[in-house]
């Protein structure tokens, strides 16, 4: 009897495994996530392997399990995964069998169905359309629709990862429908009416994926549909070493290190905040660029773009109060990762005001609420303390805290350090506002009493 391996991710994969098990034929089923394990029916003839694998890992797995035939029942849109399975089968000389979904009837195309090739095309149409949007494309590309989040109602798998992506995208809890499909015509129609949906966005997920039921429900509800069609082909195989460079982009382009600049020039995909994407050296590289800084967005972009040399930019120094570490932990397999340090605003401030930070305390309130007690304790105990802040109001608040302590202190202020409009000032806590420069990003140094 042949050793059978099924790469599953669809209803078809589960049913195929159950069919073999019913005939008492052992199979090994590979699923990408723990949720994939949960939806499989436990059976002594079914062995489940959980976790994502690249092509080389698939090759090793097939060799370890002595697979003699492989069935690819992954999602029709998972073109890279299918290509990796095919490559692994070719490498091992194992027969590859693709389980294709039956496509929906063409009769639906006459009813308000607009076919597009990508999520970007869908977003462009949605931006010029009115009404609430029912998004049934899953969580993987949700970040592409973030500009429309206030209008979105999203249906995703009831997994922690999918819910986490929704949270990171700012989707309201009441707008998240976390359920396992496929769904009936009646269930789809009830949701469209319950949330007063104005437009439905779906993928051409095939008959077993519930596509027909969604289109019929939209027709009954009298709303238009945008269908994102299946990609035509998988991405080409990567033969050279793939590299992700996590870069500390300094506190301005003039503080960018030579190593960082070279990584940016060589990149074929650049990801960073809007401010960092405005660097001239970034603009001169004609590769795709994405405004993103949260780990899940970055991971999804890298998965979708499938580039060999990726540059991920973070402000300041990659090792200090940065998203670099969380980003590194969430990166996809198959890449070599390097971290390139940068020059922080703390270092820049120290050089301007000649205040060393070797014995100073450094606090970051960038993106989080200021802790009054922590600031008071810090300025009482230490002669010098540095603070990374989000805006002008944060500087004023710290000035008021210091004033309330009664400590004789001076506050050195750096505003938009490294930018074209950077400025520096020194102020007393009780005259903070009149000496405070206008800007967006602030770093301050408080000089007070001697160390305790």
């Amino acid at each position: 009897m042949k050793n059978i391996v099924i790469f599953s991710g669809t209803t078809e994969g589960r049913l195929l495994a159950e069919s073999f098990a019913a005939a008492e034929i052992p199979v090994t089923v590979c699923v990408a996530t723990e949720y994939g394990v949960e939806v499989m029916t436990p059976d002594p003839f079914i062995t489940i392997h959980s976790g994502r694998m690249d092509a080389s890992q698939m090759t090793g797995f097939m060799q370890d399990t002595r697979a003699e035939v492989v069935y690819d029942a992954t999602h029709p849109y998972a073109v890279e995964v299918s290509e990796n399975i095919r490559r692994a089968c070719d490498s091992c000389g194992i027969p590859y069998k693709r389980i294709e979904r039956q496509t929906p009837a063409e009769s639906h195309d006459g009813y308000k169905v607009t076919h597009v090739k990508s999520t970007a095309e869908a977003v462009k149409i949605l931006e010029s359309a009115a009404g609430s949007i029912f998004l049934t494309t899953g969580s993987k590309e949700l970040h592409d629709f973030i500009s429309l989040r206030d209008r979105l109602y999203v249906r995703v798998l009831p997994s922690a990862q999918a819910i986490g992506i929704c949270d990171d995208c700012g989707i309201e809890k009441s707008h998240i429908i976390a359920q396992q499909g496929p769904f009936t015509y009646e269930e789809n129609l009830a949701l469209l009416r319950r949330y007063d949906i104005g437009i439905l966005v779906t993928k051409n997920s095939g008959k077993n994926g519930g596509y027909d039921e969604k289109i019929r429900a939209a027709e009954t509800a009298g709303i238009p549909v945008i269908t994102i069609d299946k990609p035509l082909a998988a991405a080409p195989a990567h033969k050279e070493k793939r590299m992700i460079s996590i870069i500390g982009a300094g506190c301005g382009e003039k503080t960018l290190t030579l190593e960082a600049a070279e990584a940016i020039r060589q990149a074929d995909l650049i990801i960073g905040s809007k401010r960092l994407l405005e660097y001239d050296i970034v603009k001169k590289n004609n590769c795709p660029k994405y405004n993103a800084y949260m780990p899940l967005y970055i991971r999804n972009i890298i998965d979708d773009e499938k580039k060999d040399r990726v540059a991920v930019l973070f402000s300041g120094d990659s090792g200090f109060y940065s998203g670099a570490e969380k980003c590194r932990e969430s990166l996809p397999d198959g890449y070599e990762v390097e971290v390139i340090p940068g020059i922080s605003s703390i270092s820049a401030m120290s050089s301007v005001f000649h205040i060393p930070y070797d014995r100073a305390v450094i606090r970051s309130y960038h993106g989080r609420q200021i802790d009054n007690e922590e600031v008071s304790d810090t300025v009482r105990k230490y002669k010098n303390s540095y603070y990374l802040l989000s805006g002008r109001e944060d500087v004023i608040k710290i000035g008021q805290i210091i004033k309330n302590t009664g400590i004789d202190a001076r506050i050195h202020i750096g505003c938009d350090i490294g930018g074209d409009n950077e400025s520096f000032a020194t102020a007393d806590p009780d005259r903070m506002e009149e000496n405070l420069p206008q800007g967006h990003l602030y770093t301050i140094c408080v000089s007070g009493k001697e160390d305790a």
Side-chain angles (χ1 to χ4, degrees), residues 8-296:
S8 184
T10 60
T11 302
E12 290 87 345
R14 177 176 57 80
L15 294 176
L16 179 62
E18 290 174 355
S19 296
F20 280 119
E24 298 188 352
I25 299 174
V27 294
T28 300
V29 180
C30 299
V31 295
T33 65
E34 286 299 317
Y35 187 78
V37 177
E38 294 173 9
V39 298
M40 289 295 301
T41 302
D43 192 286
F45 289 94
I46 298 176
T47 301
I48 301 176
H49 175 275
S50 175
R52 301 182 189 276
M53 294 185 280
D54 59 25
S56 63
Q57 291 169 325
M58 289 176 181
T59 300
F61 181 81
M62 292 177 190
Q63 292 171 340
D64 292 342
T65 56
R66 299 181 180 179
E68 296 177 83
V69 61
V70 171
Y71 291 88
D72 176 8
T74 57
H75 196 278
Y77 284 72
V79 290
E80 185 181 19
V81 176
S82 289
E83 179 62 19
N84 285 341
I85 298 170
R86 189 181 292 109
R87 287 167 54 196
C89 287
D90 290 344
S91 177
C92 297
I94 300 171
Y96 169 89
K97 299 181 182 295
R98 173 65 178 162
I99 308 300
E100 290 282 0
R101 282 185 170 179
Q102 181 179 348
T103 56
E106 292 297 321
S107 59
H108 290 309
D109 287 354
Y111 177 75
K112 298 182 182 178
V113 176
T114 301
H115 289 266
V116 297
K117 297 179 180 179
S118 66
T119 56
E121 273 191 73
V123 169
K124 188 174 182 180
I125 294 171
L126 291 168
E127 287 177 340
S128 60
S132 297
I133 302 162
F134 189 39
L135 192 65
T136 66
T137 57
S139 61
K140 185 177 179 182
E141 295 91 3
L142 183 56
H143 65 276
D144 291 344
F145 296 87
I146 198 167
S147 63
L148 303 160
R149 60 187 169 197
D150 292 337
R151 298 165 53 198
L152 290 181
Y153 288 82
V154 299
R155 187 162 65 190
V156 297
L157 292 173
S159 68
Q161 182 182 25
I163 300 301
I165 291 174
C166 290
D167 289 340
D168 286 343
C169 288
I171 306 299
E172 292 184 16
K173 298 288 189 201
S174 59
H175 288 204
I176 302 171
I177 300 110
Q179 295 177 349
Q180 167 67 31
F183 302 89
T184 66
Y185 156 80
E186 291 80 10
E187 289 170 332
N188 286 314
L189 182 59
L191 287 172
L192 295 178
R193 287 175 170 169
R194 176 181 177 182
Y195 296 110
D196 193 23
I197 299 299
I199 189 166
L200 168 68
V201 182
T202 183
K203 289 181 178 178
N204 193 335
S205 53
K207 183 177 181 180
N208 288 339
Y211 181 80
D212 289 346
E213 287 75 12
K214 284 185 277 190
I215 304 302
R216 285 174 51 212
E219 185 172 2
T220 301
I223 64 172
V225 177
I226 296 176
T227 294
I228 303 172
D229 287 326
K230 177 183 175 182
L232 295 177
H238 296 285
K239 297 181 180 180
E240 298 182 358
K241 181 175 69 175
R242 308 173 80 195
M243 173 69 75
I244 297 176
S245 301
I246 299 177
I247 299 171
C251 47
E253 186 167 5
K254 65 184 181 182
T255 63
L256 199 65
T257 66
L258 294 176
E259 185 182 13
E262 184 60 23
I264 292 171
R265 291 190 191 97
Q266 296 295 328
D268 52 17
L269 171 64
I270 300 175
I271 304 169
S273 67
K274 184 177 180 181
R275 181 177 71 87
L276 300 180
L277 297 182
E278 291 298 316
Y279 282 11
D280 285 340
I281 192 172
V282 174
K283 289 182 177 179
K284 288 177 181 177
N285 186 327
N286 293 321
C287 72
K289 304 176 186 72
Y290 288 86
N291 175 10
Y293 54 89
M294 288 188 286
L296 286 175

